[in-house]
Amino acid sequence: MPPAQTKESVSINIRAKARQRDLIDRAAQRQGRSRSEFMLEVSCREAEDVLLDHPLPPTDKLRRLLKTKAPWEK
């Protein structure tokens, strides 16, 4: 799922080899999307996966939260 759209857009610039661009263009075209739409959705999906698969290191606040009983357990 793509991130929420806001009225303000920012530019993201990257360099790619011609063969990489062509591969991305073929995949985007197959899905009926522009290169930018395709790259943004795929990049955001991968970023979400990375963040979900690699949680932040434990902190004292997190440790306290995990030791706290749920309201239905009290």
Side-chain angles (χ1 to χ4, degrees), residues 8-69:
E8 185 178 329
S9 294
V10 296
S11 181
I12 300 173
N13 299 306
I14 62 170
R15 291 200 174 278
K17 295 178 180 170
R19 65 180 177 77
Q20 292 171 314
R21 182 205 54 215
D22 294 344
L23 176 65
I24 292 166
D25 285 350
R26 286 195 317 265
Q29 184 179 23
R30 187 109 6 129
Q31 291 187 345
R33 297 178 155 157
S34 69
R35 180 190 305 148
S36 293
E37 290 171 328
F38 180 83
M39 290 179 68
L40 187 57
E41 182 176 332
V42 171
S43 296
C44 287
R45 186 179 333 129
E46 183 67 16
E48 288 172 350
D49 287 347
V50 166
L51 293 174
L52 291 171
D53 289 344
H54 298 86
L56 294 174
T59 62
D60 289 338
K61 188 175 181 179
L62 179 59
R63 285 185 193 96
R64 282 193 307 275
L65 176 64
L66 293 173
K67 288 180 182 178
T68 304
K69 286 188 176 185

